[in-house]
């Protein structure tokens, strides 16, 4: 780089997101000079399922590179001035292929997909499951790659056969792209640590695969896993094997949320960004030691430059822009996402509607698996505009909940929130966000910060930028600041309504139903509660305590609700002895503090929504008659 004019130095960035793929070419000032974007096929085979065709992901990348380079050259630049390429990608999305042929063995299961719920439920019953989060930073959920892989092993014969033959390769989208873009015969099989930290296979502290984790999921020594490498490296990721940039090296790789943090230059502990894309993800830089959340957040690798990891606390929201897309594609409210802002502005407020957009359950900080999307407060008065507003507000409310959790985990309050991503283009959304969190929201002028982050990762590897200080002036100035316009108290009232809606959305999905739905493809082996390749693991459900002498009859749900939807449940134990009360209480997950317990009557204090959910579980466990 030493003798080159700045004007001759460019870096390419592949941004493979959930709904679209982009390729951008940045100059050394971090400005995009050419770009191309394509949307690719979203496959929804069953409710809750979401797939991508892995080969289409690759071809979308190749098409974007070719088009953007064509545009670049049309502006008079030379492709030889593009010195390296970075990759950023949707995380957790799971790809499996045959290590010998390089051919995918199934569609990629997308991060939003909830089909592995029954497997998650089984795994949670294992006594050592509580040890996972401290090692990998993630709670057991359908979100991470691990349970998606287990689902494929249990349900897709081709995957199981490759597993048995020892030729099964697993990767997240970064690994898959690097592998294919290098050409299969080159066999570049790597993953950067930000992506690996989303699989549940990597130890967050060592940045290596962890034997306990691999054992837990039953894949130790049985599967080809990509080598974990730093996010910025001049040779680990290989070279583009074909197309307009054939021979150009891939030098950087970051999961998209990490990439956005880098693109926002969130390099100091205490800095945070929130990216409103398909989902919405708030990453808070916690420095060089991971912080394991006790308030529903994830611990993740923020970036790993020079082999030194920096960590983040993450609040993940499954539905953000995809809620807008839902209004567009499913409800045909408008033709283009950009119109949602005006539609929402066509009404003064949400008209009493609260939309819990739990299409994939609710992620952070709630982690409610058994919720589905629910709109509360609909009346004859409700218009499209109210629902549009409620859709935008849903992401803002969840962001508020995440910030509250982050404050508890980190002990520090944020003073400003940096934002980016497609949905951040909606001024109304950003104003609503500032109002709800009572701090300013800063939106930079150039919002392709995710792609910029990958370009920075690549550029740092080859000396386009030599250090963070050289990045200081990139994308500075010209942004918009949204100041809170309502009082903290007004925000609190709105938020309380949201929290009430969240509680009321619980319990819609029953576990058995999830498993049944998973079986709806009759060509696949039936799910029997035990993932096929994991025969050596004990997945059996815990046995309920003996109930032979006991029939628990919830005789009366007293509906004189107290404040905050707390009501009293009168539970009558008609047979058996009182010693069973604590075990029953523990199964239904409530405190054994009993108001008034005697042989005949048992009062449990619960929230109404929890009661309904617990009753369903009790019925499943055959503890009584309901
Ligand atoms: N002006 C806008 N207002 C609200 N939402 C928008 C707007 N523009 C794009 N979106 C939403 O943002 C999402 C795309 O954002 P993007 O950052 O490209 O996401 P991804 O990387 O996940 O594909 C889409 O779901 C779209 O509905
Ligand atoms: O496609 P996005 O931008 O919503 O990001 C997807 C995330 O990486 C999923 O964890």
């Amino acid at each position: 780089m030493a003798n080159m004019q700045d004007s001759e130095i460019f870096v390419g960035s592949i941004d493979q997101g959930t709904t679209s793929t982009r390729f951008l070419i940045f100059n050394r000032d971090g400005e995009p000079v050419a770009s191309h974007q394509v949307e690719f096929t979203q496959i929804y085979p069953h409710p809750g399922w979401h797939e991508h065709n892995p080969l289409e992901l690759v071809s979308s990348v190749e098409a974007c590179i070719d088009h953007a380079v064509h545009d670049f050259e049309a502006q008079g630049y030379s492709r030889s001035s593009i010195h390296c390429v970075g990759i950023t990608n949707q995380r957790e999305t799971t790809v499996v292929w045959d290590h010998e042929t390089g051919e995918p063995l199934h569609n990629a299961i997308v991060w939003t997909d909830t089909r592995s719920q029954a497997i998650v439920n089984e795994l949670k019953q294992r006594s050592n499951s509580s040890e996972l989060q401290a090692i990998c930073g993630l709670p057991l959920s359908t979100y991470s790659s691990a349970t998606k892989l287990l689902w494929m092993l249990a349900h897709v014969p081709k995957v199981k056969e490759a597993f048995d033959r020892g030729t099964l390769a697993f990767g997240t989208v970064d690994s898959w792209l690097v592998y294919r873009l290098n050409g299969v015969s080159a066999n570049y099989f790597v993953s950067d640590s930000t992506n690996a930290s989303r699989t549940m296979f990597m130890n967050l502290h060592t940045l290596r695969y962890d034997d306990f984790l691999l054992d837990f999921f039953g894949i130790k020594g049985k599967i080809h896993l990509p080598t974990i490498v730093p996010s910025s490296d001049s040779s680990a990721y290989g070279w583009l094997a074909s197309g307009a940039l054939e021979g150009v090296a891939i030098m950087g790789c970051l999961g998209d949320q990490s990439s956005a943090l880098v693109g926002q230059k969130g390099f100091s502990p205490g800095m945070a960004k929130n990216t409103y894309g398909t989902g919405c993800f708030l990453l808070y830089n916690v420095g060089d030691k991971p912080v394991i959340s006790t308030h529903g957040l994830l611990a993740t690798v923020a970036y790993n430059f020079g082999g030194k990891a920096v960590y983040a606390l993450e609040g993940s929201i499954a539905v953000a822009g995809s809620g807008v897309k839902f209004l567009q594609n499913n409800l045909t409210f408008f033709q283009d996402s950009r119109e949602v802002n005006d539609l929402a502005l066509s009404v003064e407020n949400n008209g009493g509607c609260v939309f819990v957009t739990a299409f994939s359950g609710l992620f952070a900080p709630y982690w409610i698996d058994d919720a589905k999307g629910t709109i509360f407060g609909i009346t004859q008065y409700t218009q499209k505009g109210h629902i549009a507003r409620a859709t935008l507000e849903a992401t803002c409310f969840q962001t508020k909940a995440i910030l509250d959790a982050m404050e508890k985990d980190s002990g520090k309050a944020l003073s400003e929130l940096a934002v980016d991503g497609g949905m951040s283009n909606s001024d109304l959304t950003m104003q609503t966000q500032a109002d709800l969190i009572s701090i300013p929201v800063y939106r930079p002028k150039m919002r392709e910060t995710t792609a910029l982050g990958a370009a920075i990762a690549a550029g740092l590897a080859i000396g386009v930028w030599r250090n963070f200080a050289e990045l200081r002036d990139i994308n500075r100035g010209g942004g918009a600041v949204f100041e809170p316009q309502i009082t903290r108290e007004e925000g609190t009232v709105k938020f309380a309504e949201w929290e009430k809606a969240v509680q009321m959305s619980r319990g819609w999905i029953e576990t058995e139903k999830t498993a049944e739905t998973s079986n709806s493809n009759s060509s696949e082996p039936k799910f029997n509660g035990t993932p096929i390749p994991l025969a050596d693991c004990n997945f059996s459900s815990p046995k309920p305590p003996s109930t032979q002498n006991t029939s628990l009859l919830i005789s009366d749900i007293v509906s004189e609700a107290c404040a905050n939807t707390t009501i009293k449940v009168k539970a009558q134990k008609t047979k058996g002895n009182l010693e069973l009360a604590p075990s029953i209480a523990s199964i239904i997950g409530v405190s054994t503090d009993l108001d008034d317990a005697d042989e005949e009557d048992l009062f449990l204090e619960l929230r109404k929504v929890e009661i309904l959910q617990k009753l369903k579980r009790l019925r499943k466990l055959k503890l009584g008659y309901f």
Side-chain angles (χ1 to χ4, degrees):
M1 295 295 103
N3 301 322
M4 287 219 159
Q5 300 288 320
D6 279 1
S7 59
E8 295 169 2
I9 298 172
F10 295 89
V11 179
S13 179
I14 297 164
D15 180 356
Q16 203 304 294
T18 309
T19 53
S20 73
T21 300
R22 301 173 175 121
F23 184 70
L24 292 91
I25 302 169
F26 288 95
N27 63 21
R28 199 173 171 275
D29 294 328
E31 296 159 343
V33 292
S35 67
H36 191 74
Q37 176 172 6
V38 294
E39 295 205 349
F40 53 87
T41 318
Q42 304 297 321
I43 305 164
Y44 300 104
H46 301 290
W49 294 29
H50 188 184
E51 299 178 358
H52 291 155
N53 177 340
L55 295 173
E56 192 184 356
L57 297 184
V58 178
S59 59
S60 71
V61 169
E62 291 168 338
C64 285
I65 293 177
D66 288 352
H67 277 91
V69 170
H70 183 267
D71 176 28
F72 183 67
E73 291 192 321
Q75 296 179 51
Y77 298 112
S78 160
R79 65 178 74 183
S80 62
S81 59
I82 301 172
H83 288 271
C84 55
V85 165
I87 296 180
T88 178
N89 57 284
Q90 51 172 321
R91 308 164 306 164
E92 298 93 19
T93 298
T94 300
V95 193
V96 288
W97 64 94
D98 189 295
H99 197 251
E100 284 171 355
T101 65
E103 290 309 307
L105 297 168
H106 193 262
N107 275 337
I109 298 189
V110 180
W111 59 274
T112 50
D113 189 296
T114 55
R115 77 183 71 180
S116 61
Q117 187 62 61
I119 292 175
V120 170
N121 294 342
E122 291 284 338
L123 293 172
K124 278 185 180 169
Q125 306 295 344
R126 298 176 62 187
S127 58
N128 55 358
S129 65
S130 58
E131 295 170 41
L132 299 172
Q133 192 163 358
I135 303 171
C136 68
L138 310 176
L140 257 178
S141 77
T142 58
Y143 179 34
S144 66
S145 311
T147 59
K148 299 179 196 305
L149 174 64
L150 292 197
W151 187 92
M152 288 199 250
L153 285 167
H155 292 270
V156 186
K158 274 206 286 188
V159 175
K160 176 66 168 53
E161 283 155 25
F163 180 82
D164 291 339
R165 272 199 314 273
T167 64
L168 182 65
F170 154 91
T172 39
V173 169
D174 58 322
S175 303
W176 171 245
L177 291 180
V178 168
Y179 180 73
R180 292 295 295 217
L181 293 174
N182 270 279
V184 168
S185 58
N187 197 21
Y188 270 86
F189 190 37
V190 293
S191 180
D192 101 288
S193 38
T194 69
N195 276 292
S197 74
R198 316 299 297 182
T199 58
M200 291 196 89
F201 300 145
M202 191 188 86
N203 184 314
L204 207 53
H205 311 268
T206 62
L207 307 182
R208 291 170 189 270
Y209 293 114
D210 186 280
D211 281 352
F212 171 79
L213 299 174
L214 299 182
D215 253 349
F216 182 88
F217 292 108
I219 62 162
K220 191 171 146 202
K222 297 179 179 169
I223 207 166
H224 294 267
L225 294 169
T227 305
I228 301 171
V229 295
S231 317
S232 180
D233 195 292
S234 59
S235 60
Y237 295 103
W239 290 262
L240 296 173
S242 59
L245 293 183
E246 184 178 340
V248 175
I250 304 165
M251 293 198 182
C253 186
L254 289 160
D256 54 7
Q257 304 309 323
S258 287
S259 200
L261 184 70
V262 169
Q264 292 266 16
K265 294 172 283 168
F267 298 126
S268 305
M271 293 178 92
K273 68 88 210 179
N274 203 21
T275 301
Y276 301 72
T278 302
C280 181
F281 302 87
L282 201 158
L283 263 66
Y284 177 90
N285 183 327
V286 295
D288 57 9
K289 300 229 163 21
V291 173
I292 305 297
S293 173
T294 50
H295 295 93
L297 305 177
L298 311 182
T300 198
V301 177
Y303 51 84
N304 175 4
F305 297 148
K308 221 172 144 247
V310 167
Y311 296 89
L313 266 174
E314 172 173 327
S316 324
I317 300 169
V319 173
S322 53
V324 175
K325 283 274 183 213
F326 171 79
L327 301 184
Q328 178 189 322
N329 298 333
N330 302 40
L331 304 188
T332 61
F333 278 12
F334 40 75
Q335 308 272 316
D336 187 297
S337 298
R338 282 171 292 196
E339 296 171 51
V340 71
N341 198 76
D342 284 349
L343 178 59
L345 279 173
S346 67
V347 290
E348 266 182 31
N349 52 40
N350 65 19
C353 287
V354 179
F355 191 174
V356 181
T357 49
F359 301 161
S360 308
L362 269 187
F363 283 14
Y366 306 104
W367 299 107
I368 303 174
D369 297 331
D370 56 6
K372 276 283 171 273
T374 316
I375 304 180
F376 295 92
I378 295 182
T379 65
Q380 292 281 27
Y381 172 79
T382 305
Q383 301 293 322
K384 287 179 182 176
H386 297 123
I387 294 175
R389 246 183 203 258
T391 307
L392 301 178
E393 287 174 356
T395 305
C396 302
F397 282 129
Q398 287 169 86
T399 296
K400 152 85 177 146
I402 285 167
L403 275 180
D404 289 349
M406 226 158 241
E407 198 174 324
K408 287 180 196 146
D409 273 333
S410 69
K412 294 189 192 107
L414 214 59
S415 57
E416 181 181 87
L417 182 65
V419 300
D420 50 38
M423 196 176 162
S424 75
N425 289 307
S426 159
D427 286 1
L428 175 64
T429 309
M430 295 301 100
Q431 185 56 55
T432 305
Q433 189 66 84
D435 290 346
L436 287 172
I437 59 179
S438 307
I439 56 172
V441 166
Y442 174 73
R443 184 178 67 191
K445 185 164 176 228
M446 200 288 291
R447 280 162 233 163
E448 296 288 0
T449 39
T450 302
L452 176 61
I456 289 174
L460 285 171
I462 197 183
V464 172
W465 301 282
R466 282 164 299 183
N467 49 47
F468 292 162
E470 289 193 359
L471 300 166
R472 201 185 44 219
D473 291 335
I474 287 182
N475 206 15
R476 253 181 131 195
V481 179
F482 297 85
E483 297 283 351
Q485 289 180 352
I486 63 174
T487 64
R488 204 174 274 270
E489 289 66 35
E490 286 168 318
T492 305
V493 171
K494 287 173 191 271
F495 186 62
E497 196 167 45
W498 160 262
E499 288 279 293
K500 179 175 159 193
V502 166
Q503 293 312 325
M504 292 182 73
S505 73
R506 284 176 185 271
W508 180 253
I509 296 294
E510 292 177 34
T511 309
E512 283 79 357
K513 251 190 194 161
T514 317
E516 278 159 24
T517 315
S518 306
N519 280 331
S520 53
N521 185 344
S522 57
S523 66
E524 292 172 1
K526 287 268 181 261
F527 181 71
N528 61 7
T530 304
I532 289 169
L534 303 171
D536 46 340
C537 301
N538 176 15
F539 279 95
S540 58
S541 296
K543 290 198 174 46
S546 165
T547 56
Q548 277 161 355
N549 299 322
T550 306
S551 98
L552 180 74
L553 178 65
I554 304 290
S555 63
D556 186 13
I557 297 180
V558 184
S559 57
E560 16 87 49
C562 306
N564 299 326
T565 71
T566 300
I567 66 168
K568 284 188 174 180
V569 178
K570 182 179 175 189
Q572 265 192 3
K573 204 157 60 68
T574 55
K575 276 191 199 167
N577 61 56
L578 204 60
E579 279 162 24
L580 266 177
S583 31
I584 290 166
S586 104
I587 286 166
I588 66 176
V590 297
S591 140
T592 48
D593 287 338
L594 308 174
D595 272 345
D596 178 15
D598 61 32
E599 189 78 21
E600 295 302 323
D601 290 332
L602 181 59
F603 289 90
L604 304 178
E605 226 175 291
L606 283 174
R607 286 181 157 201
K608 181 178 179 185
V609 282
E610 284 173 348
I611 293 162
L612 297 176
Q613 184 194 10
K614 306 301 177 190
L615 290 185
K616 278 188 206 154
R617 276 181 63 198
L618 269 177
R619 187 180 52 204
K620 282 179 217 153
L621 290 169
K622 298 188 179 29
L623 272 175
Y625 314 109
F626 302 105

